[in-house]
Amino acid sequence: MRLTKYFLPVAKEVPAEAKIASHRLMLRAGMIKQASAGIYSWLPLGFRVLKKIETIVEEEQVKAGHIPMLMPTIQPAELWKESGRYEDYGKEMLRIRDRQERDLLYGPTNEEQITDIFRAHISSYKELPKTLFHIQWKFRDEMRPRFGIMRGREFYMKDGYSFDIDKDSAIHSYNRHLVSYLKTYERLGLKAIPMRADTGPIGGDYSHEFLVLAETGESNVFYDRTVAELSLGAEDINYEDPESIQGIVNQFTKYYARTEETHDKKMFEDLNVDLRQAGKGIEVGQIFYFGTKYSKTMNARVNLPDGSKVPVEMGSHGIGVSRLVGAIIEANHDEKGIVWPLSVAPFKIGIVNVKQSDKETSDFCEKLYTAINNMGLEVLYDDREERAGIKFNTMDLIGVPWRITVGPRGVEVGKVELTSRKSSESVEYSLEQVLNRLQSLD
Ligand code: ATP
Ligand code: MG
């Protein structure tokens, strides 16, 4: 992409309404524009990042054996009246009436809708287990939308729903989600800690929230520092082997890690003082096994081999895809701007032409730009008639992980400079060398 042909409305001023780094940087980098309170347009740069995150989230779900689909944003009120949540959900639900006077709503989540699909098509234990998921816009009329897309009213969420015949199988579904979420966050370059979460009136032990540690987080968190040091790494995961999946879950959940709602002061204080950590976190996902809550009220039953019918065991599992954009920025920025992890960077490489008016330099940039495009790597070429300083600032602000600087002096001896956004280290290369180096970026 040539910057002169792109749409990148970067802003110099720090917008006064933005209270946290990710909100400020997303506005300054031209990633989003507010449409109304808590509702945003995703401008091209922001949209690229959102799609990258979505792709990683989806890939990891598919690897775990979960099935992608798409449900609508608008749902009929009847389904929610059946489950009893139409009244319970309160003012957060955006209620709509169509021209036929039918009550509709903009979905804040999809338990009812998926249960309705399930009961229409599945009636035998033989078809279980199944997990269906979609990535779709949600609407919750939050009392205080804030921090940009972090607490929006309209937001993008991956929500998956598991259906199992019994508790053992349901726990394996729960565990698959826990592990696939860990893997997803790692691929996004994030450390997200699974913390025991409140299960509300349903009770039980089976809910975890995933929290990214950040001073600007809205949740108070308490944890054993050991858990913050764990990672899956390149370990092979066999989602079809319940025992090994349970092993990974145990490894990540055996330490104390809780949010305020489930915090147990006594248990926490029993930890060695060196291990005790308290701080703030951003909730980027939650998983929940709730049994037959919806299947009973909405009559989603399956036949057992002996002919009897039982309500199906269910769980729901969400990842805040749009919130993740903000969480990743909170965890990866400096005073100059965003520092994207390579996996979600809108462009992996930036070319800065230090002197656009110089023919040799511009010819060299063209050659480089074409070669990188041909390699299939995403590159942003700053071909504006601007001072070098302004171009460097733009690349730093929008967080391009690798910058290639091309100037008249280097071009004279066939050299360019490759600079890492993260470490600021630069290395000089010839054209051939730099193209080689680009094949193994990290
Ligand atoms: P919160 O406690 O932050 O309000 P929640 O517990 O109500 O979130 P869930 O129903 O668990 O949210 O939704 C799954 C995920 O969707 C959350 O973990 C979060 O990452 C994301 N999410 C929820 N509400 C919002 C919102 N208003 N804006 C952006 N993302 C959100
Ligand atoms: Mg939650």
Side-chain angles (χ1 to χ4, degrees):
M1 182 59 63
R2 290 171 199 277
L3 192 35
T4 52
K5 302 245 155 57
Y6 200 44
F7 181 68
L8 184 69
V10 296
K12 232 194 181 144
E13 315 77 58
V14 181
E17 79 270 21
K19 302 270 182 286
I20 63 172
S22 57
H23 189 194
R24 276 196 296 271
L25 289 169
M26 287 182 78
L27 290 170
R28 283 191 54 212
M31 294 176 68
I32 50 170
K33 181 180 185 308
Q34 185 176 311
S36 63
I39 304 179
Y40 289 85
S41 296
W42 290 78
L43 306 184
L45 195 78
F47 184 60
R48 283 182 89 104
V49 177
L50 186 69
K51 285 284 151 187
K52 295 234 154 133
I53 296 174
E54 175 181 2
T55 302
I56 291 174
V57 167
E58 170 154 355
E59 281 173 4
E60 291 306 321
Q61 287 310 297
V62 169
K63 278 189 208 161
H66 306 154
I67 308 163
M69 64 177 295
L70 186 60
M71 289 177 270
T73 53
I74 308 286
Q75 303 180 23
E78 279 79 54
L79 287 177
W80 288 68
K81 287 179 182 158
E82 248 190 88
S83 75
R85 282 210 294 180
Y86 192 61
E87 300 309 323
D88 293 353
Y89 219 92
K91 290 199 164 169
E92 271 195 19
M93 181 185 278
L94 181 63
R95 293 152 208 263
I96 306 164
R97 185 161 286 171
D98 71 11
R99 67 202 295 168
Q100 327 283 3
E101 302 286 308
R102 275 187 295 244
D103 286 325
L104 302 167
L105 57 101
Y106 195 121
T109 177
N110 287 67
E111 281 82 1
E112 284 78 358
Q113 190 145 54
I114 195 80
T115 306
D116 183 50
I117 292 168
F118 180 89
R119 70 183 173 186
H121 299 287
I122 295 192
S123 59
S124 164
Y125 73 94
K126 289 183 195 151
E127 294 171 80
L128 298 182
K130 286 243 172 338
T131 291
L132 297 161
F133 75 94
H134 74 162
I135 302 177
Q136 177 63 291
W137 293 95
K138 305 289 185 286
F139 193 93
R140 295 183 188 171
D141 202 351
E142 299 270 356
M143 180 90 103
R144 282 185 67 203
R146 57 193 160 146
F147 305 150
I149 46 74
M150 286 276 222
R151 181 166 297 283
R153 293 198 296 163
E154 188 185 50
F155 60 97
Y156 206 38
M157 195 213 278
K158 172 259 150 184
D159 42 326
Y161 303 90
S162 52
F163 300 91
D164 289 272
I165 194 66
D166 56 28
K167 188 166 178 189
D168 276 356
S169 175
I171 288 170
H172 178 48
S173 291
Y174 183 85
N175 288 343
R176 275 200 319 276
H177 282 91
L178 196 146
V179 174
S180 65
Y181 278 29
L182 291 172
K183 186 78 196 170
T184 303
Y185 300 125
E186 279 192 25
R187 278 188 66 192
L188 297 172
L190 277 180
K191 174 129 291 184
I193 303 175
M195 299 201 177
R196 192 181 164 132
D198 199 5
T199 48
I202 294 167
D205 301 336
Y206 292 98
S207 184
H208 281 88
E209 287 174 343
F210 294 79
L211 285 113
V212 172
L213 301 174
E215 280 163 31
T216 48
E218 292 188 273
S219 309
N220 290 312
V221 297
F222 305 86
Y223 60 98
D224 178 330
R225 76 159 73 236
T226 325
V227 69
E229 284 152 22
L230 297 174
S231 78
L232 287 170
E235 190 178 334
D236 264 337
I237 299 166
N238 180 359
Y239 286 105
E240 291 183 345
D241 176 5
E243 254 173 60
S244 76
I245 295 297
Q246 182 70 60
I248 301 174
V249 169
N250 294 348
Q251 192 194 336
F252 279 83
T253 57
K254 70 182 174 201
Y255 302 100
Y256 189 89
R258 297 189 179 194
T259 56
E260 207 160 22
E261 292 75 43
T262 54
H263 183 46
D264 181 325
K265 244 179 152 175
K266 165 101 183 41
M267 277 176 81
F268 187 59
E269 278 160 15
D270 282 347
L271 285 179
N272 186 317
V273 66
D274 301 333
L275 296 175
R276 258 183 259 161
Q277 293 281 309
K280 294 272 185 190
I282 302 166
E283 183 193 325
V284 291
Q286 181 165 17
I287 56 175
F288 200 171
Y289 162 48
F290 47 72
T292 55
K293 176 174 152 91
Y294 298 92
S295 54
K296 267 191 185 146
T297 51
M298 294 183 67
N299 204 22
R301 291 168 202 272
V302 280
N303 290 316
L304 293 179
D306 67 6
S308 61
K309 278 187 166 207
V310 290
V312 68
E313 296 282 328
M314 288 175 62
S316 68
H317 317 276
I319 292 186
V321 176
S322 51
R323 180 179 287 179
L324 272 166
V325 180
I328 293 171
I329 298 174
E330 287 298 322
N332 300 280
H333 70 272
D334 59 19
E335 69 289 347
K336 290 187 276 184
I338 304 166
V339 187
W340 292 116
L342 197 66
S343 60
V344 298
F347 296 96
K348 292 186 167 44
I349 301 151
I351 301 175
V352 165
N353 183 342
V354 167
K355 199 162 185 201
Q356 204 66 40
S357 57
D358 182 70
K359 181 158 184 330
E360 271 82 61
T361 307
S362 292
D363 286 350
F364 196 100
C365 283
E366 286 299 323
K367 229 192 308 179
L368 183 64
Y369 176 63
T370 308
I372 298 174
N373 272 323
N374 287 338
M375 286 165 75
L377 293 172
E378 293 150 307
V379 54
L380 182 67
Y381 170 26
D382 192 343
D383 57 344
R384 293 175 297 173
E385 301 276 353
E386 285 282 6
R387 280 189 291 114
I390 290 177
K391 296 189 177 188
F392 291 141
N393 289 347
T394 301
M395 287 295 175
D396 285 345
L397 173 64
I398 68 170
V400 176
W402 293 94
R403 185 187 80 211
I404 305 173
T405 309
V406 186
R409 252 180 296 151
V411 166
E412 224 166 86
V413 290
K415 290 276 162 82
V416 298
E417 205 177 65
L418 181 69
T419 308
S420 154
R421 175 70 179 85
K422 203 184 267 168
S423 70
S424 303
E425 276 164 34
S426 296
V427 180
E428 246 192 15
Y429 289 116
S430 69
L431 179 63
E432 195 190 327
Q433 283 168 332
V434 83
L435 294 177
N436 249 330
R437 176 71 184 82
L438 296 184
Q439 271 161 346
S440 57
L441 293 178
D442 52 21

